Every structure is written in structure tokens, then in C-alpha cells.
Amino acid sequence: MEAGGETGGTASSPLLEPREGIPPVVADDAGLDRVIEAFASGSGPVAVDAERASGYRYGQRAYLVQLRRRGAGTALIDPVACPNLNDLNRALADSEMVLHAANQDLPCLSELGLVPRRLFDTELAGRLLGYPRVGLGAMVETVLGYSLEKGHSAADWSTRPLPTDWLRYAALDVELLVELRDALHAELIEAGKLEWALQEFDAIASAPPKQPRTDPWRRTSGIHRVRNRRALAVVREVWETRERIAQELDLSPGRVLPDTAIVEMAVAQPRTMAELFTIAAVKGRNARRYTTQWLRAVSKGRQLPEAALPEQNLPGDGPPPAHRWAERDPEAAARLSAARTVVAALADAHNLPSENLVQPDFVRRLCWSPPEQATPEAIRAELRRLGARPWQAALVSVPVAKAWTRLETKGELA
């Protein structure tokens, strides 16, 4: 969490303890049944948070789930001991769930069966309202006047038993989340942005699961240093070997072998153990424990036939990089420049980040392949087809159409 927001010159009050104290961690079916009964009997929105062990364990599973609701208090659930929250989900099916930065927690909550039908994302609400800092600590301090303890968000939440101070931190994460939601809801109404927010929240709740990335090994940090297809093959083989080992050990891949070591292996392509150990990043117990596997992966990448080597770059499904547009399609470049100017001005006028007004990728695709007749209606329809929400398409389409008409009048568009 992030703390340190401004409160109009008024000193914030530290929030040190949950109002009802730290609840016991629910780690059996009987305890979970009691939570379900209590939360089904509660009222109003349900604050939800989850703690993962990113950087420690393989994957993004939840290791603690926190809930709070008026009339039910706070619950801390151990999802390792209680991995099925379907009954809780059914009990809360008609309730609005309040999360901060919902996209971070929804995948791991979904794995447990906790899937909100209606949600309120306090971080996204803060962005739409123009708050410069939207971390949970900053929002609670700025909006409600309480400062939350910085601390354990990056801890290894797979630890058992969880320390008391970690549980306090976790309970405080949901302590004021509903109050924050209520305050932001009122601000959205006052700013005339509630409908915008509701469309955004609905889009998050109804979004299908993300598809696995194509060639995820290409996201290896520092891969830009790898200059040829043969070296890319080494990156792929070592990355996939590391992935298998990390999954078997239930460790974050970076704790098995850092990305820097993968890139160095691709550049140096060591053939012997001695050559491998000249790579400084091959250190630590896990990296040295699997040296035979690393050398085998390097050898495989080095010996692959030419036809089996990965391409230097994946073909994109969208327009080329914007910096090449002026040369390849000057009219598209002119459209993009005009559209970006429009979006920046609209975002400034409505006091929100331009990427929340409309996704930059939608703008690029619209400008590269515009509708045949660039009317406001056609532009609106194309933005909707690309995935923009109704409020975004309606707000952007008319000024973009006018800007493109001015370009055509000046002769910058054919």
C-alpha cells in the first residue's frame, strides 16, 4: 500500500488497530461456515482484499483473503486451508464488492470461486476523479484523514503461521474500504462521473479471463541485449527450463534464476561448467543447484536447426510503432497527432488521466484504420468495436471527427 497523501493541511490520524481487534484466521470448514452466515446477514457493500506471495512463490495464488461488512465485522480467511469459497460467493451474489485495484486481485479470487457480479474499484474511482496519488494508503489519508501503516504488502504471505503484525496490517487494509467507497461514490455523483465509473466497474467485472501471453519468455528483463535468433533460442530454452523448475519447487522464477543470468547465458552461450560460473548472476543455492539443466538448455538452443529458431520479433496484430507512421502513412500520422491533441485536452478538461479517458491503443488503431466516413457516429461505433466504453466513445468521437475535418479542409488528408 502507499501512504502519505495530502489532507488539506490537516494532520492525519494513524490507524493502528482494527475496531474489533484482529480476528482469528479462518482455517477450517466450520469457521468458514460461520463467516458465510455472518456476512450473509450483514448489510451494504463488502470490502474484499487478498494477499499474495509475489516474488516468493510460483504463480499469483492468494494466501490470505480479507473481508469486511457492516454487521459482520472483519474476516481473515486462509485460502490454503479453505480453497473453495463458492458457498461464500453464493451468499454474497447480490452484494457489491469493494476492491482497491481490482484487476490485481480478481484473478486469484476467481481461482477460489469468489467472483463479484457488481464491484466498486476505489483506485479506479480515484483516477476518474483526478487524484494524483491513488495507492490505498494515499487515498485513505487524502479522502478520510487516516494514515495506514506502510509495511507488509511485499511480504511472503505463504508464511505459516502468519505473524500478528501482518494480520493487523491485513485487517486494516479492509477496515475503511467501504467508507472510502462511500466518500468516492458521493464525489463521483458531484463530479457527474458516476455513470462513467459504473461502466468501468461493469467492464472489469464482466471481462473474460486474460488469455496466456504468446511467447511469455520474450518478457525476460534485458532481452533487448539479445541480438540474433540463435541467442533468442537460448533465452527461450533456459526460460522454459527455469519455469518447469520453479513450478516444481513452488518458487518465484526469479528466485530460481534471475533474468539477468538468462540474458548472460544467451549472450555468452557457455559450454562448460567453468564458463557458466563466469556469469556473475549464476549465484545462489538454486541457480547453482541446477547448473546441469542450464547448460543442457543452452546447448539445445545452440543446436536447434535454423527453421526451429524463434523470429527476432513477433508479428503484431495492430498498427506499426507510431514513430514510423510519418514515413509509412503521413495521413495516419496526421490523424494520430490530431486525435492525441484532442484526447489530451479532453482529459485535462475533465481532470483525469488520458489513458483513463480512452486507451491509447484504441486511439492508434482508430487512426491507422479509420472508418470510411469519419463521422462522429462512425468513430463512436469503431471505438466501441475496439472495446471503449460507451461514455468514452461518446466523449471522444465528436471532437476527433471535428479535428479530422479540419485536417481535410487544410488538405492534410486526401
Side-chain angles (χ1 to χ4, degrees):
M1 75 175 66
E2 179 185 354
E6 297 176 0
T7 56
T10 303
S12 58
S13 302
L15 191 64
L16 302 177
E17 289 288 339
R19 276 167 274 194
E20 299 93 11
I22 304 171
V25 177
V26 174
D28 56 40
D29 290 341
L32 183 58
D33 288 342
R34 289 191 291 272
V35 167
I36 293 170
E37 182 179 358
F39 274 75
S41 301
S43 61
V46 182
V48 184
D49 192 21
E51 304 296 346
R52 301 180 300 280
S54 304
Y56 295 92
R57 296 293 179 179
Y58 185 84
Q60 294 296 315
R61 68 174 296 183
Y63 285 94
L64 188 70
V65 175
Q66 307 101 282
L67 306 165
R68 183 172 179 83
R69 192 179 199 185
R70 190 176 297 112
T74 298
L76 303 178
I77 301 173
D78 179 354
V80 178
C82 301
N84 187 338
L85 300 184
N86 288 318
D87 289 343
L88 176 62
N89 193 59
R90 281 189 287 271
L92 301 177
D94 297 327
S95 305
E96 178 189 86
M97 297 189 191
V98 184
L99 294 93
H100 191 83
N103 281 328
Q104 294 182 19
D105 288 337
L106 286 178
C108 68
L109 292 172
S110 178
E111 289 179 1
L112 301 170
L114 193 58
V115 182
R117 297 181 187 177
R118 292 190 296 127
L119 67 81
F120 189 106
D121 186 331
T122 49
E123 184 200 50
L124 183 50
R127 292 184 185 279
L128 293 176
L129 289 165
Y131 280 91
R133 301 173 66 221
V134 293
L136 179 58
M139 292 293 292
V140 167
E141 190 167 0
T142 302
V143 178
L144 302 178
Y146 289 94
S147 59
L148 293 174
E149 173 197 359
K150 293 182 180 179
H152 306 294
S153 61
D156 180 3
W157 287 90
S158 68
T159 300
R160 293 296 183 271
L162 286 165
T164 300
D165 57 332
W166 294 17
L167 296 175
R168 179 183 297 108
Y169 166 94
L172 289 174
D173 261 3
V174 292
E175 182 77 9
L176 296 176
L177 202 51
V178 172
E179 286 91 332
L180 179 61
R181 174 256 181 228
D182 291 345
L184 294 174
H185 187 273
E187 289 188 34
L188 288 166
I189 293 174
E190 184 178 354
K193 296 179 177 180
L194 180 60
E195 179 57 31
W196 299 3
L198 293 177
Q199 290 182 25
E200 294 296 309
F201 302 158
D202 181 64
I204 294 172
S206 60
K210 284 188 176 180
Q211 295 300 309
R213 290 182 179 275
T214 301
D215 289 358
W217 56 268
R218 290 182 184 271
R219 294 179 63 82
T220 302
S221 180
I223 198 171
H224 62 277
R225 295 177 51 208
V226 178
R227 302 294 187 181
N228 60 72
R229 296 172 62 203
R230 178 71 57 189
L232 279 178
V234 173
V235 171
R236 181 180 64 191
E237 298 302 327
V238 177
W239 187 96
E240 290 178 349
T241 298
R242 181 185 70 172
E243 196 74 2
R244 288 193 296 272
I245 294 169
Q247 191 167 9
E248 290 170 3
L249 298 177
D250 190 20
L251 285 178
S252 168
R255 287 185 171 264
V256 175
L257 186 73
D259 281 10
T260 50
I262 295 178
V263 171
E264 290 296 335
M265 288 184 203
V267 172
Q269 297 184 21
R271 296 171 180 267
T272 66
M273 206 72 74
E275 290 177 357
L276 181 65
F277 285 145
T278 64
I279 297 174
V282 181
K283 58 184 178 181
R285 181 169 56 90
N286 287 318
R288 289 180 174 263
R289 178 182 174 188
Y290 295 100
T291 49
T292 301
Q293 284 91 326
W294 311 140
L295 284 175
R296 188 180 298 130
V298 172
S299 177
K300 181 179 178 182
R302 197 172 54 242
Q303 295 176 27
L304 283 174
E306 193 76 16
L309 298 179
E311 294 299 325
Q312 190 73 34
N313 296 295
L314 283 178
D317 66 345
H323 66 269
R324 298 180 185 167
W325 287 25
E327 179 182 339
R328 292 185 57 175
D329 190 336
E331 291 185 3
R335 284 192 298 267
L336 180 61
S337 177
R340 283 175 165 174
T341 299
V342 165
V343 169
L346 282 172
D348 185 60
H350 291 282
N351 189 30
L352 75 165
S354 59
E355 62 268 21
N356 289 113
L357 176 65
V358 61
Q359 285 191 25
D361 183 57
F362 297 166
V363 176
R364 287 191 294 270
R365 289 173 184 267
L366 173 72
C367 295
W368 185 255
S369 302
E372 188 172 340
Q373 298 295 323
T375 63
E377 294 75 19
I379 291 172
R380 183 184 303 117
E382 179 62 13
L383 285 170
R384 291 287 291 123
R385 188 192 68 79
L386 289 167
R389 262 64 79 191
W391 75 270
Q392 296 173 319
L395 199 61
V396 168
S397 56
V398 172
V400 166
K402 289 181 179 178
W404 287 359
T405 299
R406 286 193 294 270
L407 289 177
E408 192 170 358
T409 301
K410 291 185 202 176
E412 295 182 39
L413 298 181

